Amino acid sequence: MEKITTYKKIAGIFICLFLFVCSGCIHETLDPCEEDDFETCIRFNFLYDYNMEERDLFAEQVDHITLIIYSEESGELEQIVEVHRQDMEENHTVSLMLSPGKHTAVAWGNIHTEHYNLHSHESTAGHLLEMTCIDKQTMTTTRANPGSLFHASHTFTVVAGNEEPIPMKMIKNSNQVKVIIKGLTEEDLEKAEERFTLRLTSNNWRYNFANKISSGQAVTYLTEGAQEEDNPTPGEFTVAFTFYPLRLFTYDMETVLSLRYRNEQTGRQTEPLELPLIPYLLRIAGYSNTPANDNEYLDRQDTYEVPFVLGVDINGNISIEEWDGIHQGGEL
């Protein structure tokens, strides 16, 4: 009888141990079960409503995301994932397991290798995103349009068990600037690419993790070529040249648009007319007094038209009333 009782006791002990192991740690003071030691599933919700339409255009304009997670304390890389839009979760969400603490998420949209290069991203200190379609600091003619580019960043704290979504609101870093030249003759129109030379120079081709310009060296943007535009005035013709510069900033006085005209008969090319682009764009939009730290208009707007009416005298000299008015401080 004693043997049976002893066996029962031993069996009971083994059953208790078995249940303890199977049920996991149930004692709050055991280190492996401390809540702070577990990673938490964090959902990053992507949207692009920071535009002039004030609606989410993410699905229409972003096809690929590179999401990078850094330690906020050390700035060192923790995770990097690449996700195509069609592979995202519902509502354009990407989920990652992260440990408790403070982190910085950086995301780039559409950084396709034929246009952009992300390197030195092992830390926030070295992180650089730059255009690659340049040769000797000039855009290659075959890639005048580097494609759309988007950026988002967010610094956040992970608390174990708190799965509150992280909003990733994207800013569009690419623009379209169409220079429209009116008042042309039919011959000017037919030979527009020979007679007009347009350039746009800017240092906005390389960015750090916070989407700030990270180069003092300028690049020269080229256009895709001349395109005829409709002109309601009989006998007058209009041509457009389109640039695709990256992010524009209100404080920028060094992004310059230049235009030259070559007289077909004399072969003489005029001195370039040069125009600081940003003050002009702000002025025609009614933002001449925009504070230097308010970049909302330029970040929301991504398409601009710069119209000029050209006059050419018998010696081949050109005049543009709008251009002269800017330099004289007159109204546009």
Side-chain angles (χ1 to χ4, degrees):
M1 190 71 181
E2 290 183 6
K3 288 184 177 180
I4 294 175
T5 303
T6 301
Y7 288 144
K8 286 183 177 180
K9 289 181 179 179
I10 293 173
I13 292 172
F14 276 112
I15 291 171
C16 289
L17 288 173
F18 177 78
L19 291 173
F20 178 82
V21 172
C22 291
S23 62
C25 301
I26 59 174
H27 199 291
E28 293 181 355
T29 62
L30 294 177
D31 288 342
C33 295
E34 287 292 332
E35 191 175 18
D36 287 346
D37 290 339
F38 285 107
E39 291 187 330
T40 297
C41 180
I42 301 298
R43 298 185 302 277
F44 297 89
N45 295 140
F46 288 89
L47 70 158
Y48 170 52
D49 60 1
Y50 198 55
N51 50 61
M52 298 304 284
E53 296 185 38
E54 296 186 347
R55 65 183 182 92
D56 189 6
L57 300 176
F58 184 90
E60 299 177 28
Q61 299 196 25
V62 184
D63 57 51
H64 176 269
I65 287 289
T66 300
L67 175 61
I68 310 165
I69 309 299
Y70 293 104
S71 164
E72 173 64 15
E73 181 179 354
S74 67
E76 297 300 312
L77 175 67
E78 294 181 326
Q79 292 191 50
I80 178 169
V81 295
E82 296 194 46
V83 185
H84 289 276
R85 187 187 67 249
Q86 62 267 27
D87 297 326
M88 288 181 165
E89 302 165 28
E90 188 177 0
N91 298 323
H92 307 126
T93 299
V94 176
S95 296
L96 296 178
M97 298 299 293
L98 295 176
S99 58
K102 203 168 186 180
H103 309 265
T104 295
V106 178
W108 292 100
N110 300 348
I111 55 170
H112 303 297
T113 55
E114 66 267 32
H115 300 304
Y116 302 103
N117 179 38
L118 175 65
H119 61 89
S120 303
H121 55 274
E122 293 79 11
S123 68
T124 54
H127 183 118
L128 287 176
L129 187 286
E130 62 186 18
M131 284 197 308
T132 58
C133 46
I134 54 177
D135 181 31
K136 297 179 181 179
Q137 297 308 115
T138 300
M139 294 281 292
T140 55
T141 54
T142 56
R143 294 180 181 172
N145 182 358
S148 59
L149 177 68
F150 295 83
H151 174 273
S153 63
H154 195 111
T155 297
F156 59 98
T157 301
V158 173
V159 177
N162 184 355
E163 299 184 2
E164 184 177 349
I166 304 300
M168 298 295 286
K169 295 176 69 68
M170 308 213 80
I171 289 177
K172 192 170 187 178
N173 266 44
S174 46
N175 298 276
Q176 180 185 92
V177 177
K178 181 186 287 188
V179 180
I180 301 172
I181 304 176
K182 303 178 180 181
L184 305 183
T185 64
E186 186 172 8
E187 186 179 7
D188 276 329
L189 174 65
E190 293 173 353
K191 299 184 177 182
E193 294 188 24
E194 300 175 18
R195 296 191 174 183
F196 295 98
T197 302
L198 287 91
R199 297 287 186 268
L200 182 65
T201 58
S202 179
N203 64 352
N204 64 348
W205 62 283
R206 176 188 285 167
Y207 298 85
N208 63 17
F209 79 99
N211 204 21
K212 301 297 183 183
I213 292 175
S214 185
S215 174
Q217 191 174 22
V219 296
T220 299
Y221 289 93
L222 304 179
T223 71
E224 288 184 316
Q227 299 292 327
E228 183 179 2
E229 297 278 300
D230 292 335
N231 193 325
T233 305
E236 290 189 3
F237 299 89
T238 299
V239 69
F241 296 86
T242 303
F243 294 97
Y244 298 91
L246 295 189
R247 191 179 181 193
L248 305 175
F249 294 89
T250 57
Y251 59 77
D252 182 6
M253 295 294 293
E254 298 180 6
T255 296
V256 175
L257 171 67
S258 69
L259 182 152
R260 285 186 170 188
Y261 176 82
R262 181 182 297 279
N263 184 293
E264 187 71 13
Q265 295 178 343
T266 65
R268 188 174 68 86
Q269 191 174 51
T270 64
E271 290 297 315
L273 297 173
E274 296 187 342
L275 173 69
L277 181 65
I278 307 306
Y280 175 80
L281 295 180
L282 292 173
R283 188 173 181 180
I284 61 176
Y287 288 92
S288 57
N289 297 319
T290 300
N293 63 351
D294 182 1
N295 218 64
E296 181 174 354
Y297 169 70
L298 294 177
D299 284 337
R300 284 186 179 273
Q301 180 68 277
D302 64 357
T303 303
Y304 306 90
E305 289 190 355
V306 182
F308 296 123
V309 178
L310 179 72
V312 183
D313 65 21
I314 59 174
N315 297 316
N317 298 311
I318 63 174
S319 62
I320 299 177
E321 293 181 5
E322 295 88 345
W323 207 294
D324 294 338
I326 292 167
H327 289 290
Q328 295 170 9
E331 293 297 323
L332 296 178

